[in-house]
């Protein structure tokens, strides 16, 4: 593709994306294709000769769009948001165009140093502890996702608690233990499997039935029991905004117990952490100064498209010690000087995309005030939605809702679970909105997660009206 062809087709692609956003609200939120339908619309064999780009855009409309669940739709209230904004899309396009591989400082100094600065900027915006900044013993790095953050936190924890032995001898089955709430994201269990300590190493903490937050007393019991049995506590994960209900664990109490037994304390604030751009919401940072690592996802609620997970450590030496391997072909003067960060030592893969570029474009475009307005708007919409639920005696709120996630169910006697399932299925089948579910104290509940960049009050109001209209007949 020549520069002139790229220029022409690039304009067509930008126009297509802009048109997509203009018509997005008219599309059903949840894809309605049957299994195999998308593949059935594609040729069985690859093209023998090259084809024009015009056909790609035509097939995008014909085959791909009908098979999409529209995460940017203003009535997407499922899971957690996955932000996409103009500044971020353009930043990602620039990164793709530059095509740099930032595994080492030497392979693109700008990629490394911009990332270091963006992590320091974001730490300032979120009022995180100074120990997480690059001019301390800690520092920050952009990961693919909070799952990667959980995994590297576990690997660093194993390195530290074993004195580095796990890098040569591996891990012994049953030796190390990990502790987290039953409300915590499943990525922690997956990290245990990948790290080789297995699901059996994971201890699930009981939660408070009202707040759904982890109970420190149960952690204390489990830690003491494991130590008495000759096992080694390695990692405790505290959730700030757990996936099911948005639960907020008591970080300081969990950290004190973790450190008492020599374990690493990781805070998973994947969704909720970015709310701390607002001064009045910085109470969610309570106890974070005691954490060994912390992560939050700009690609969820902070206007930055996937993938972009911010991960900080208080002691980068443990992380680098666990993950650094330096073959001859990667040796260079800058690395050996010890004056630079080589972010390939802070993550699982060697290769690195230039993710910092889109975070840079987002922070510059919106500024702190724009980010704050975005978060505050959604928090207020969630508060209003929760007030409608609370005022209707057919429904019941099942967990606190201080941010932008509301968890509720039907009051339908012995049939409450089945009636709530039926309601959720009807709402999603309508195509007008998309919500997901969870279990709260064993009860089936609907999650209303407000966070789409395009969501306005009218969309939240319409979702509530739809919920009421789709109520199963008594």
């Amino acid at each position: 593709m020549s520069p002139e062809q790229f220029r022409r087709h690039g304009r067509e692609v930008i126009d297509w994306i802009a048109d997509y956003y203009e018509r997005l609200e008219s599309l059903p939120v949840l894809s309605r294709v049957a299994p195999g339908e998308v593949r059935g619309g594609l040729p069985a064999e690859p093209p023998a000769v090259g084809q024009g780009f015009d056909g790609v855009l035509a097939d995008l409309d014909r085959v791909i769009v009908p098979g999409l669940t529209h995460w940017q739709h203003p009535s997407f209230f499922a899971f957690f948001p996955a932000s996409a904004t103009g500044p971020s899309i353009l930043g990602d396009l620039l990164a793709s165009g530059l095509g740099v591989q930032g595994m080492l400082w030497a392979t693109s100094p700008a990629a490394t140093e911009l990332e270091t600065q963006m992590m320091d900027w974001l730490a300032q915006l979120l009022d995180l502890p100074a120990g997480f900044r690059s001019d301390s013993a800690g520092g920050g790095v952009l990961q693919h996702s909070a799952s990667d953050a959980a995994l590297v936190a576990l690997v660093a924890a194993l390195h530290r608690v074993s004195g580095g032995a796990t890098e040569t001898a591996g891990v012994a089955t049953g030796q190390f233990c990990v502790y987290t709430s039953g409300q915590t994201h499943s990525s922690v269990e997956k990290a245990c499997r990948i790290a080789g300590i297995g699901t059996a190493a994971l201890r699930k903490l009981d939660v408070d039935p009202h707040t759904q937050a982890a109970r420190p007393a149960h952690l204390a019991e489990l830690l003491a029991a494991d130590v008495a049995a000759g096992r080694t506590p390695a990692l405790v994960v505290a959730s700030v905004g757990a996936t099911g209900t948005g639960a907020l664990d008591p970080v300081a109490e969990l950290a004190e117990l973790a450190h008492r037994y020599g374990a690493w304390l990781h805070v998973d604030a994947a969704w909720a952490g970015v709310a701390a751009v607002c001064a009045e919401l910085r109470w969610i940072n309570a106890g974070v100064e005691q954490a060994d690592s912390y992560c939050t996802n700009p690609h969820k609620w902070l206007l930055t498209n996937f993938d972009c997970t911010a991960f900080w450590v208080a002691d980068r030496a443990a992380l680098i010690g666990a993950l650094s391997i330096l073959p001859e072909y990667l040796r260079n003067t800058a690395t050996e000087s010890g004056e630079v960060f080589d972010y390939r030592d802070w993550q699982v893969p060697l290769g690195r995309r230039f993710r910092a570029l889109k975070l840079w474009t987002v922070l510059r475009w919106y500024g702190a005030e724009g980010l704050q307005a975005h978060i505050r708007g959604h928090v207020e919409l969630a508060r209003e939605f929760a007030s409608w639920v609370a005022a209707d005696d057919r429904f019941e709120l099942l967990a606190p809702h201080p941010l932008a996630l509301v968890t509720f169910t039907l009051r339908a006697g012995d049939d409450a679970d089945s009636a709530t399932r039926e309601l959720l299925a009807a709402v999603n089948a309508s195509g007008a909105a998309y919500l997901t579910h969870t279990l709260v104290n064993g009860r089936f509940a609907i999650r209303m997660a407000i966070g789409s960049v395009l969501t306005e009050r009218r969309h939240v109001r319409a979702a509530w009206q739809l919920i009421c209209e789709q109520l199963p007949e008594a």
Side-chain angles (χ1 to χ4, degrees), residues 8 11 32 46 50 94 102 107 135 200 203 206 234 241 265 295 299 301 380 395 449 473:
R8 176 164 60 88
R11 290 177 180 138
R32 293 174 168 178
L94 288 169
T107 59
D135 58 359
R203 309 312 192 228
D206 294 341
L265 191 285
C295 84
H299 69 232
W301 201 14
E380 174 58 25
F395 295 91
E473 296 182 5

Side-chain angles (χ1 to χ4, degrees), residues 409-410 412-425 444 472:
T409 192
L410 283 171
D414 294 338
D415 294 328
D417 278 5
S418 59
T420 307
R421 287 179 188 273
E422 185 179 341
L423 171 60
L424 178 62
F444 187 90

Side-chain angles (χ1 to χ4, degrees), residues 289-301:
E289 68 281 358
Q290 298 183 51
D292 295 288
S293 58
Y294 177 92
C295 84
T296 190
N297 294 351
H299 69 232
K300 278 192 168 70
W301 201 14

Side-chain angles (χ1 to χ4, degrees), residues 178-189 202-209 211-216 218-219 222 235-250 254 265-266 268 439 441:
V178 174
Y179 311 80
T180 195
S181 158
Q183 288 286 327
T184 299
H185 194 273
S186 59
S187 59
V188 177
E189 181 173 350
L202 184 62
R203 309 312 192 228
K204 294 288 186 72
L205 305 179
D206 294 341
V207 299
D208 180 282
T211 65
Q212 299 299 302
R215 291 182 55 244
H218 191 214
L219 175 61
L222 293 173
L235 176 71
V236 176
V237 179
S239 289
V240 173
T243 302
T245 63
L248 301 153
D249 289 341
L254 299 183
L265 191 285
H266 174 62
D268 184 340
L439 292 177
N441 299 326

Side-chain angles (χ1 to χ4, degrees), residues 212-384:
Q212 299 299 302
R215 291 182 55 244
H218 191 214
L219 175 61
E221 293 172 11
L222 293 173
L223 287 166
D226 280 327
V227 170
R231 294 182 284 265
T232 303
L235 176 71
V236 176
V237 179
S239 289
V240 173
T243 302
T245 63
L248 301 153
D249 289 341
V251 174
E253 294 176 72
L254 299 183
E256 191 279 325
L257 287 166
H259 295 156
R260 185 188 304 174
Y261 287 90
W264 182 289
L265 191 285
H266 174 62
V267 176
D268 184 340
W271 161 65
V274 297
V277 296
C278 301
E280 72 274 16
L281 297 176
R282 286 182 182 155
W283 51 264
I284 67 171
N285 286 345
V288 168
E289 68 281 358
Q290 298 183 51
D292 295 288
S293 58
Y294 177 92
C295 84
T296 190
N297 294 351
H299 69 232
K300 278 192 168 70
W301 201 14
L302 204 66
L303 301 164
T304 308
N305 58 306
F306 189 84
D307 55 348
C308 188
T309 287
F311 174 70
W312 289 272
V313 290
D315 175 15
R316 61 178 176 264
L319 180 65
I320 295 170
L323 296 174
S324 180
I325 299 175
L326 187 60
E328 184 60 36
Y329 53 80
L330 293 181
R331 293 185 180 278
N332 63 88
T333 303
T335 294
E336 292 173 359
S337 74
E339 297 178 359
V340 302
F341 287 166
D342 286 332
Y343 279 130
R344 56 117 197 173
D345 293 333
W346 298 50
Q347 62 174 30
V348 173
L350 172 63
R352 310 196 79 248
R353 296 183 65 241
F354 196 176
R355 298 187 194 92
L357 200 52
K358 62 188 172 191
L359 186 57
W360 188 44
T361 57
V362 166
L363 297 184
R364 292 187 64 173
W365 178 267
Y366 290 100
E369 291 182 356
L371 301 177
Q372 291 160 357
H374 172 70
I375 298 295
R376 285 173 179 144
H378 289 158
V379 171
E380 174 58 25
L381 288 175
R383 184 205 61 77
E384 189 169 13

Side-chain angles (χ1 to χ4, degrees), residues 155 158-159 162-172 175-176 321-325:
V155 173
L158 291 169
H159 168 84
S162 71
T166 53
E167 280 62 70
T168 53
V171 293
Q175 180 181 352
F176 300 104
L323 296 174
S324 180
I325 299 175

Side-chain angles (χ1 to χ4, degrees), residues 87-170:
S88 182
I89 293 168
L90 293 175
D92 224 12
L93 176 61
L94 288 169
S96 295
L98 292 171
V100 303
Q101 216 280 43
M103 58 186 178
L104 300 166
W105 179 91
T107 59
S108 272
T112 294
E113 295 192 15
L114 182 65
E115 183 162 338
T116 302
Q117 190 73 351
M118 289 309 97
M119 294 303 295
D120 283 353
W121 275 14
L122 192 55
Q124 292 176 55
L125 285 167
L126 300 180
D127 196 30
L128 294 178
F132 285 153
R133 297 183 193 173
S134 61
D135 58 359
S136 70
V141 61
L142 292 174
Q143 303 279 358
H144 294 86
S145 70
S147 298
D148 294 88
L151 176 59
V152 297
L154 175 55
V155 173
L158 291 169
H159 168 84
R160 190 172 74 178
V161 79
S162 71
T166 53
E167 280 62 70
T168 53

